């Protein structure tokens, strides 16, 4: 029997959280190697397993898989969460690419300069409610099924629930104008594997707090004066 997948990252959401969600939805148990110091991360780099000297990395099926989308696509395909044909996969890809854009905005929000936080928060909520959520609301309405693509759970559905919950952590009534997304959230949250992942004590990570931010900055040696950007909006200077 093959061993459990092993996830290499720091103890936070970041780009690994969507991987955790997807494995949980597939019912796959996994182990985590969570480094706490820069030295632990450097030792992993020196070990030669990281193709680009970056994480996330997932060790499974005899491979060390890097690059978030490569990891997610492999898991989705392996566990029948990636549509039944090329057309369905194209729609899944289109949906999750949009979700990734929104996810990145939220992921980098804790790095905002103090004087930029309110502007960045408004920007995130505006993009969520005016650009992204209307797309998924219409998709569910037009498709007329319980899921975004086809008639079974896919990677797109799992990532949509993840991003909905992330936005609601910022603004609890973010779905007030989107009845189909409200129904979707309730329906998918009740699926047994998802429901288990949403319970306290699971491997789901909480939002990044000040302590977690400092740990991430120390591990990855973010330097003073480095800018993290999303589009033309500067959202961090570390």
């Amino acid at each position: 029997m093959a061993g459990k997948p092993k996830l290499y990252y720091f103890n936070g959401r970041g780009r690994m959280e969507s991987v955790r969600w997807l494995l949980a939805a597939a019912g796959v148990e996994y182990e985590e190697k969570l480094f706490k110091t820069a030295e632990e991360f450097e030792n992993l780099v020196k070990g030669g397993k990281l193709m680009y000297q970056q994480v996330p990395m997932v060790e499974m099926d005899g491979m060390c898989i890097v690059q978030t989308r490569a990891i997610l696509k492999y898991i989705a395909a392996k566990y029948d969460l990636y549509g039944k044909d090329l057309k369905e996969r194209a729609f899944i890809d289109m949906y999750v690419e949009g979700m990734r854009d929104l996810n990145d905005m939220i992921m980098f929000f804790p790095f905002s300069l103090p004087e930029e936080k309110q502007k960045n928060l408004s920007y995130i909520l505006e993009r969520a409610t005016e650009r992204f959520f209307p797309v998924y609301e219409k998709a569910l309405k037009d498709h007329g099924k319980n899921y975004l693509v086809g008639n079974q759970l896919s990677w797109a559905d799992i990532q949509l629930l993840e991003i909905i919950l992330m936005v609601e952590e910022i603004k609890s009534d973010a779905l007030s104008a989107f009845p189909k997304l409200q129904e979707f959230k309730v329906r998918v949250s009740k699926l047994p594997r998802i429901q288990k992942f949403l319970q306290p004590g699971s491997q789901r990570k909480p939002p990044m707090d000040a302590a977690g931010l400092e740990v991430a900055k120390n591990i990855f040696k973010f330097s003073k004066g480095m800018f993290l950007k999303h589009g033309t909006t500067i959202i961090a200077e570390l």
Side-chain angles (χ1 to χ4, degrees):
M1 179 181 286
K4 297 178 182 177
K6 185 176 290 187
L7 281 53
Y8 292 81
Y9 209 57
F10 76 103
N11 190 19
R13 288 180 178 176
R15 298 200 183 280
M16 187 65 88
E17 191 69 359
S18 294
V19 178
R20 297 182 183 108
W21 269 89
L22 201 56
L23 287 170
V28 178
E29 295 184 358
Y30 56 89
E31 300 173 357
E32 295 190 90
K33 174 63 176 176
L34 302 173
F35 31 82
K36 301 177 181 178
T37 66
E39 182 180 10
E40 290 176 334
F41 175 56
E42 289 165 3
N43 287 338
L44 181 62
V45 172
K46 291 175 183 176
K49 290 184 176 182
L50 295 177
M51 184 180 292
Y52 300 110
Q53 301 182 18
Q54 297 172 328
V55 288
M57 181 183 80
V58 174
E59 202 168 14
M60 65 184 297
D61 295 344
M63 298 183 292
C64 294
I65 313 175
V66 298
Q67 297 298 308
T68 310
R69 278 174 283 189
I71 295 168
L72 291 167
K73 284 186 177 185
Y74 182 82
I75 294 169
K78 179 179 174 72
Y79 296 106
D80 196 25
L81 294 166
Y82 202 12
K84 71 179 188 301
D85 54 32
L86 284 174
K87 184 176 180 179
E88 287 193 358
R89 289 188 175 192
F91 275 98
I92 291 169
D93 284 342
M94 285 190 285
Y95 290 143
V96 299
E97 286 301 313
M99 296 170 203
R100 175 185 169 89
D101 289 346
L102 184 53
N103 186 301
D104 281 356
M105 295 181 213
I106 299 171
M107 180 174 66
F108 288 125
F109 176 69
F111 295 91
S112 299
L113 295 166
E115 64 270 22
E116 299 287 342
K117 279 197 170 183
Q118 188 54 52
K119 182 181 78 172
N120 292 336
L121 180 60
S122 297
Y123 179 79
I124 290 168
L125 292 173
E126 181 264 326
R127 283 291 185 268
T129 58
E130 295 185 20
R131 174 174 292 185
F132 295 105
F133 284 175
V135 170
Y136 308 126
E137 178 79 6
K138 184 177 186 299
L140 288 166
K141 182 178 179 180
D142 291 350
H143 189 46
K145 307 290 186 182
N146 286 338
Y147 305 108
L148 283 171
V149 179
N151 198 26
Q152 67 179 44
L153 186 72
S154 77
W155 169 23
D157 301 303
I158 298 158
Q159 193 152 344
L160 178 55
L161 178 59
E162 178 190 2
I163 200 69
I164 285 172
L165 296 179
M166 289 172 70
V167 173
E168 287 187 329
E169 288 170 347
I170 298 172
K171 191 173 190 292
S172 60
D173 64 348
L175 290 186
S176 60
F178 304 102
K180 290 295 183 183
L181 287 179
Q182 292 176 40
E183 294 170 3
F184 172 89
K185 172 193 164 185
V186 172
R187 183 169 57 248
V188 178
S189 294
K190 288 182 178 178
L191 296 174
R193 291 170 178 172
I194 299 295
Q195 192 172 47
K196 181 179 178 182
F197 188 62
L198 292 173
Q199 295 302 308
S202 78
Q203 288 168 292
R204 184 183 178 215
K205 306 306 179 194
M208 182 175 283
D209 58 15
L213 181 61
E214 287 304 311
V215 170
K217 287 164 67 174
N218 290 332
I219 289 172
F220 300 113
K221 295 185 176 179
F222 294 145
S223 58
K224 181 77 175 172
M226 184 182 74
F227 290 90
L228 298 175
K229 298 183 179 180
H230 189 281
T232 58
T233 302
I234 297 172
I235 59 175
E237 182 181 26
L238 306 178

